[in-house]
Amino acid sequence: MVQIPSMRLDELLAELQVRLEAVLNTRDRVHALLEAVVSIGSDLELETVLRRIVETATTLVDATYGAMGVIGEEQTLVQFVPVGLNEEEIARIEHWPRGLGVLGLLIKEPQILRLKNITDHPASYGFPPGHPEMGSFLGVPVRVRDEVFGNLYLAEKRGGGEFDEDDEAIVIALATAAGVAIENARLYSETRRRETWLQASSEIATSLLSGAEPQRVLNLIAQRAREMADADTAVVMLPAEGGLRAVSANGEEADRAAALRMDMDESLAGRAFTGGEPATDSDSGPVAGIGGGPVAAVPLGAGDTVRGVLVLFKQAGRLPFSGGELRTLHAFAGQAAIALELADRRKDAERLGLLEDRDRIAKDLHDVVIQRLFAVAMTLVSTVRLVERPEAATRLQHAIDELDETIRQIRSTIFALQASRAEEEPTLRARLVELVEEARAHLGFMPGLRMEGQLDSLVSGELAEHALAVVREALSNIARHAHATKAEVAAEVSGGRFTLVVSDNGVGVPAEGRRSGLRNLEERAERLGGRFGVHAPPGGGTRLEWSVPVNGTGGV
């Protein structure tokens, strides 16, 4: 009889101990929850915040696996942030869940779902190939204000048990805090993106209007767009040959992206170009080996004034481009296109001013200089008859010939100045001048250049390319083999033929030796129905003559 009160006391003490442990456990979990809330709110990078939320949830409820499924505009999972799997386990999974089965049910009906075994649910769809088997399951929607951002999934409670009401309450509280943290990260990202947009737009406009090279500005557009969207690779593409080709690339895979080409009709970039609106794909897979995850294409300009497309790539598993990012990128690309347009207009104005100067110079040369030179030449011609000494007469005649040559050169220059006004592309004359000037660095002196006749109107297209190749080869041979101190290039159209003569005062062509370059020049002439010859002038050196027939359309 004495033992009964003692047994009752032991039971009460045991029950009290259980209750105290429960209280302490609850207190510890509350403290852990508070620490978790502070932790997930301490970072403002969205992708870091999402991973920290999942890691915290798995720790609080003692789950083996956890994941955050981000819901896209089409009510499917566009990103899956897993925790609890090592790299080997991840590699074995064929693909992440796509929002079917139980996960799809949570998307359609965003309510808390707690299951003893996920495979027993009627909506269960099974796991993707390679995915580890899981039993107990707890799913909680994560809301950002009134929007369901995604779902927090927890599976396989350690010890083989199932998730209880306390686990559910803790995850609900964490999900509420997660919504606030995600919203803060979004606001921070939006603010930073707008700051970058304003800085980049100002930088690009300043660079263009201050006369920076277009390629440098395109590189700057790609770099700033990639930074703004937190993309891995950015490419600027412009129309070319019925499609789009990369003209600038920036980021992790810039080398591969620099060679990128896309079809105008079937590609994402082509749709953005023709439609004038941004286009995106949340999981396109690698494009020509680039990226593997989300892709966005943003037109440079709008409507009929689209100049090109800005294409951005992210690696697989990263968050898709948000609506806010696309709007900011579109605004940035529009401003960049306006800046490019203004730069083109400025260059057009400069070119117009240059052409007007050329017209004025040509008029002055024709009306003043040529007339005076012609008058001097006529005076000298009349003076020759009055000179009795043959030596003096010869010298006067030489001076008259020089004046005639000078007048021809000036007339040729006038024709070039006037003809270049209607040319959009560099003329043959301009390209010959550029080629001769480039040869100066290799020769050590400036070669002479004489051009006569209707070069720009009768020598164009394939024939012009052949002519430039001939001059380039001839000057290269002089630089490598001739040891010359003087060289001259003469180009002339006369009597239905186009003739190139390249001469030098060097050592001449050796009797024996490699002649592959000269053979190439000869084959070019024969292909066009012309002729080619190499001569040794009496005074030494070499004279190359390359002559082909021309018609009235710039061809052979």
Side-chain angles (χ1 to χ4, degrees), residues 57 61 63 65-67 102-103 106 111-116 118 135-141 151-157 162-172:
V61 300
Y65 305 108
V102 174
L103 303 193
L106 274 169
Q111 303 293 331
I112 299 161
L113 186 61
R114 181 158 51 92
L115 302 172
K116 182 177 181 180
I118 190 172
S136 54
F137 175 82
L138 176 60
V140 177
N151 291 304
L152 186 56
Y153 309 118
L154 300 161
E156 201 67 21
K157 189 173 177 70
E162 58 182 294
F163 297 105
D164 56 24
E165 293 181 358
D166 290 340
D167 294 329
E168 182 180 313
I170 284 178
V171 176
I172 290 172

Side-chain angles (χ1 to χ4, degrees), residues 209-402:
L209 298 178
S210 62
E213 289 294 325
Q215 186 60 49
R216 179 177 173 274
V217 177
L218 291 172
N219 295 342
L220 187 61
I221 290 173
Q223 178 187 347
R224 291 292 181 259
R226 182 186 62 78
E227 294 169 351
M228 196 179 306
D230 192 25
D232 296 302
T233 306
V235 189
V236 177
M237 308 192 74
L238 298 181
E241 301 174 0
L244 294 162
R245 69 176 180 88
V247 294
S248 178
N250 182 270
E252 294 181 3
E253 298 172 292
D255 292 341
R256 189 176 298 156
L260 187 62
R261 288 181 176 271
M262 290 190 180
D263 185 83
M264 189 69 80
D265 297 324
E266 299 180 3
S267 67
L268 190 73
R271 293 200 299 274
F273 182 87
T274 55
E277 293 293 334
T280 183
D281 190 335
S282 59
D283 186 17
S284 66
V287 178
I290 305 166
V295 180
V298 182
L300 285 165
D304 297 332
T305 61
V306 175
R307 301 172 62 92
V309 181
L310 187 60
V311 186
L312 300 110
F313 300 89
K314 288 185 179 181
Q315 296 294 341
R318 295 198 57 194
L319 277 171
F321 295 94
S322 67
E325 286 175 331
L326 289 177
R327 286 190 294 272
T328 303
L329 285 169
H330 195 195
F332 166 73
Q335 289 188 342
I338 292 172
L340 289 169
E341 186 70 23
L342 289 173
D344 284 349
R345 299 289 76 78
R346 180 179 60 79
K347 287 185 177 179
D348 288 343
E350 290 176 355
R351 187 169 183 274
L352 181 60
L354 177 62
L355 293 175
E356 289 175 348
D357 285 343
R358 287 181 175 179
D359 276 351
R360 177 181 56 76
I361 293 169
K363 187 174 183 299
D364 289 345
L365 286 173
H366 184 271
D367 294 346
V368 180
V369 178
I370 285 184
Q371 298 302 326
R372 289 188 177 185
L373 289 175
F374 187 73
V376 172
M378 292 299 294
T379 302
L380 292 177
V381 168
S382 62
T383 305
V384 169
R385 295 193 297 269
L386 304 177
V387 176
E388 296 180 356
R389 295 181 62 182
E391 255 179 50
T394 301
R395 290 186 179 182
L396 280 174
Q397 187 59 51
H398 179 70
I400 292 168
D401 293 341
E402 287 293 323

